[in-house]
Amino acid sequence: MKYLTLAVGLGISAAAVLVVPGSGATASMRTATVVDKPHQVANKYLEQRPDWIQCGEPEFRTYCAKITVPRDWANQYSGNDLQIAVSKVAPAKGKPSRVVFGNPGGPGGAGLGMAPYLASQAPLAKDHLTVGFDPRGTGGSTNVSCDGSPGYTMDARDRDPANQALITEASAMVKPYCDRQSRGLLPYITTAQTVQDMDLIRQLLGFDKIDYVGYSGGTWLGAYYQTYFPEHVGRFVLDSNTDFTKTWFDTFVSQPQAFERRFREDFAPWAAKYDDQLHLGSSPSAVIRTYERLRRALKERPAVEEFLDAAVQVTYDQNALDMMISNDMYTKLDFYSLAIDMAFIRDLSEAQAKGGPQAAQRQVDGLSMARQQQLVQRANRAPVGLRTFGAVDSEDATFNAITCNDTPWPQGPETGAQLAARLGPHFPLIGWTMTENPCFYWNRPNLTMPTPTGKGLPTTLMVQSVHDPATSYGLAVSAHSRYAGSRLLTITNEGDHGVYGGVNRCADRIVNTFLTTGKAPAKDVSCAGEGIPAPAKLMPSLDGAGDGYSRETPLRRIAGFTKAVSGYLH
């Protein structure tokens, strides 16, 4: 997700801008209907027998099925049922004694791959049934759609009133498109509905309690499941945390500072250290100047190039550059790809400035087909974890619905403009884009969910890297301080988004011990980050088979598993 914590000293807080005095902005909620407890499940849903079929290659040992859930858990006899796609992997030997659910975040990310991913963690595979699912609205479950809604092609840094009016108009048009394309389903894509879907899955699988691993937006989902179903909570791991004790607004306004910190304090010093190989600048400030010069050049004259024998056209403009950098902040394993792509686009822009479009195209034509394929893939990828807009309509639509429906947002353009004006100069990478948000124009359902407090729950293990760009460390600290009984596992000298499962061996040991034995740290603990590898260790292969990302990150592995086991259910 890409909206960002407000910087200390900017004189603004989420509470202060929820309603802007004198601006006409109002909170996005009519008279609230409190949904503070789950609804009793009708027998027709409890009596269903899922038809499990093998999905994916045999070595994944993954089985999938669809279950039926009501569109609205408060009105289970309306006849408007939905389908939820579920996956599971059993231990290779013996009967599982526990079950662990997983969610990759988004919110709105398809999650069938969580079952084989969690089963690939050897300590869990011995005794756990691992479970994934595509939340309502996305993936192989009943979909919502915002197809046709306008994107943001404008430059958010351009403060001309006419440009800002176009951004406002584009933001305001998203909800009508989503409503029309989603056939009345949009108001029912909420966390309150989704946690009840989860608990029906639990009941159909025959377990009294669930363990859970949730990444990014999945931390929000996990905390709300705990709040609605405390009696069924086992060992919960929340990795790369939203502040689930507040609103989605609070989480998103933290992002500009966090992305900027990751870019300026992690990527830029690393690129400067290896300037003899990367050629972006010999100091962090020089690397930042390279970015700003390139951005200005691409805004003045975008580079529009043809790749793969003119089969694909790619446009490099200022927005493409910003998106490329933002996407590559999620994991240090993408730093090398970002550096060489920035150098390539700079050379492309300079060639165009000197010799025109033909000179730039000759630069592309001189690349190998494998390198061209890699550039095309990287130009057409969606981020992992807490999302910005991506390439999958149902995931984008579910992202919009959950973040705009769950909790109140101030309504109207004033708040976004205020945030952009305050954050943009300090955090320009994405700070100016705070106006690009449909939730400021979203008439949400009458919904008030209970605030997660953690009271009466078993220990919750929260995992967080200190320079996470998408869910800032401050969010985890804030949620931890309000969540009774939680333990915070901090990864110092680290900024990857999504930690458990290969980013840090110390963290993996602590998480696996907790999930397999229930033994949590007695107090908050930390693990030292393992550093950013040298460029030679980050070079991607050019076999033409990739998706434009390094594959070793936990969230990217989950996405790969999801792709491999999806499409088998009808």
Side-chain angles (χ1 to χ4, degrees):
M1 122 190 171
K2 181 195 165 193
Y3 291 165
L4 315 184
T5 290
L6 289 172
V8 175
L10 290 182
I12 189 170
S13 69
V17 297
L18 190 56
V19 177
V20 182
S23 69
T26 58
S28 60
M29 185 175 64
R30 294 164 287 168
T31 303
T33 298
V34 177
V35 182
D36 59 358
K37 60 183 178 181
H39 297 277
Q40 185 174 348
V41 183
N43 286 337
K44 63 177 181 176
Y45 299 112
L46 292 172
E47 292 170 355
Q48 63 184 302
R49 295 293 179 263
D51 181 18
W52 296 97
I53 65 169
Q54 189 174 69
C55 49
E57 296 300 319
E59 60 263 29
F60 295 151
R61 297 186 294 106
T62 303
Y63 287 81
C64 298
K66 285 189 175 181
I67 68 166
T68 300
V69 302
R71 182 177 71 169
D72 181 6
W73 278 97
N75 188 9
Q76 298 177 40
Y77 297 97
S78 66
N80 297 306
D81 288 339
L82 310 181
Q83 298 292 301
I84 303 297
V86 184
S87 60
K88 67 177 183 178
V89 178
K93 297 180 180 179
K95 186 178 180 180
S97 62
R98 303 187 69 89
V99 61
V100 57
F101 282 47
N103 181 271
L112 288 183
M114 286 298 308
Y117 172 75
L118 291 172
S120 74
Q121 307 301 311
L124 294 184
K126 297 176 183 178
D127 196 42
H128 278 79
L129 178 70
T130 61
V131 175
F133 67 100
D134 292 343
R136 56 170 58 205
T138 196
S141 298
T142 303
N143 279 190
V144 287
S145 171
C146 295
D147 187 39
S149 61
Y152 298 106
T153 59
M154 301 71 76
D155 183 2
R157 291 197 191 187
D158 183 350
R159 310 311 291 167
D160 181 86
N163 184 68
Q164 292 302 307
L166 287 174
I167 293 174
T168 295
E169 184 177 359
S171 297
M173 290 174 69
V174 173
K175 178 63 157 46
Y177 272 92
C178 298
D179 273 331
R180 184 164 56 250
Q181 299 289 0
S182 298
R183 309 168 305 282
L185 180 55
L186 208 63
Y188 306 99
I189 306 301
T190 68
T191 297
Q193 300 282 353
T194 301
V195 295
Q196 297 193 112
D197 298 342
M198 287 176 62
D199 200 63
L200 177 60
I201 297 170
R202 174 195 65 79
Q203 294 181 70
L204 294 176
L205 291 172
F207 286 86
D208 181 59
K209 296 181 184 294
I210 69 168
D211 300 336
Y212 180 83
V213 176
Y215 295 92
S216 190
T219 63
W220 180 281
L221 181 64
Y224 274 95
Y225 181 90
Q226 290 179 305
T227 302
Y228 276 89
F229 298 98
E231 67 276 19
H232 300 301
V233 169
R235 303 159 186 170
F236 271 51
V237 176
L238 307 182
D239 185 330
S240 304
N241 290 265
T242 59
D243 188 348
F244 42 79
T245 68
K246 295 183 179 179
T247 68
W248 278 118
F249 178 86
D250 291 275
T251 285
F252 281 116
V253 297
S254 76
Q255 286 189 322
Q257 180 189 22
F259 272 92
E260 199 75 29
R261 177 175 57 199
R262 177 70 156 159
F263 183 48
R264 290 177 178 267
E265 297 183 19
D266 290 354
F267 175 78
W270 174 84
K273 179 180 179 181
Y274 297 104
D275 184 50
D276 60 329
Q277 301 174 57
L278 304 176
H279 312 297
L280 293 179
S282 58
S283 68
S285 59
V287 173
I288 301 299
R289 287 195 298 271
T290 296
Y291 155 66
E292 291 289 354
R293 283 195 300 268
L294 179 56
R295 193 186 192 281
R296 288 192 296 271
L298 293 174
K299 178 178 173 62
E300 180 180 344
R301 186 180 296 179
V304 182
E305 313 302 337
E306 294 181 341
F307 290 78
L308 305 175
D309 294 329
V312 179
Q313 187 178 83
V314 175
T315 297
Y316 294 109
D317 62 8
Q318 76 284 347
N319 290 338
L321 179 65
D322 289 347
M323 185 63 71
M324 178 177 71
I325 293 172
S326 298
N327 285 349
D328 286 339
M329 293 299 98
Y330 285 80
T331 169
K332 59 187 174 293
L333 299 185
D334 287 332
F335 280 11
Y336 177 76
S337 293
L338 173 60
I340 61 172
D341 285 3
M342 284 181 66
F344 167 73
I345 298 169
R346 177 194 59 200
D347 295 345
L348 204 65
S349 179
E350 291 176 353
Q352 180 170 264
K354 295 176 182 178
Q358 294 83 1
Q361 185 62 53
R362 285 195 292 272
Q363 294 259 0
V364 174
D365 294 341
L367 300 173
S368 69
M369 295 301 284
R371 174 60 172 146
Q372 290 189 40
Q373 179 70 39
Q374 185 184 70
L375 286 163
V376 168
Q377 290 163 342
R378 283 178 50 77
N380 291 282
R381 63 208 158 100
V384 293
L386 206 53
R387 296 176 57 81
T388 173
F389 286 118
V392 181
D393 172 52
S394 66
E395 293 194 2
D396 286 343
T398 304
F399 170 85
N400 286 335
I402 291 175
T403 55
C404 299
N405 281 342
D406 272 3
T407 53
W409 289 76
Q411 293 296 280
E414 296 86 359
T415 299
Q418 182 189 49
L419 287 170
R422 294 193 182 220
L423 294 173
H426 297 273
F427 314 120
L429 182 60
I430 66 170
W432 294 107
T433 68
M434 298 305 286
T435 52
E436 299 177 349
N437 188 335
C439 294
F440 291 135
Y441 310 89
W442 196 278
N443 186 24
R444 57 187 292 269
N446 293 336
L447 169 67
T448 298
M449 299 188 297
T451 300
T453 65
K455 293 179 181 178
L457 294 174
T459 299
T460 298
L461 182 60
M462 300 173 63
V463 183
Q464 189 73 35
S465 70
V466 293
H467 278 190
D468 186 324
T471 49
S472 76
Y473 185 65
L475 295 174
V477 171
S478 174
H480 170 50
S481 71
R482 293 175 174 82
Y483 212 56
S486 60
R487 298 287 185 273
L488 181 59
L489 168 55
T490 297
I491 318 304
T492 61
N493 190 34
E494 179 59 77
D496 277 15
H497 181 68
V499 174
Y500 171 62
V503 169
N504 185 277
R505 285 166 286 191
C506 167
D508 285 352
R509 285 194 297 270
I510 293 171
V511 172
N512 282 326
T513 296
F514 176 65
L515 287 171
T516 56
T517 70
K519 183 179 179 181
K523 58 182 180 179
D524 294 347
V525 294
S526 65
C527 290
E530 298 176 10
I532 305 173
K537 295 184 178 180
L538 295 177
M539 291 181 182
S541 65
L542 291 177
D543 59 8
D547 55 9
Y549 277 105
S550 296
R551 288 185 171 274
E552 291 80 15
T553 69
L555 290 173
R556 190 49 46 184
R557 288 188 64 211
I558 294 165
F561 276 122
T562 296
K563 182 177 180 180
V565 301
S566 296
Y568 290 84
L569 298 173
H570 303 288

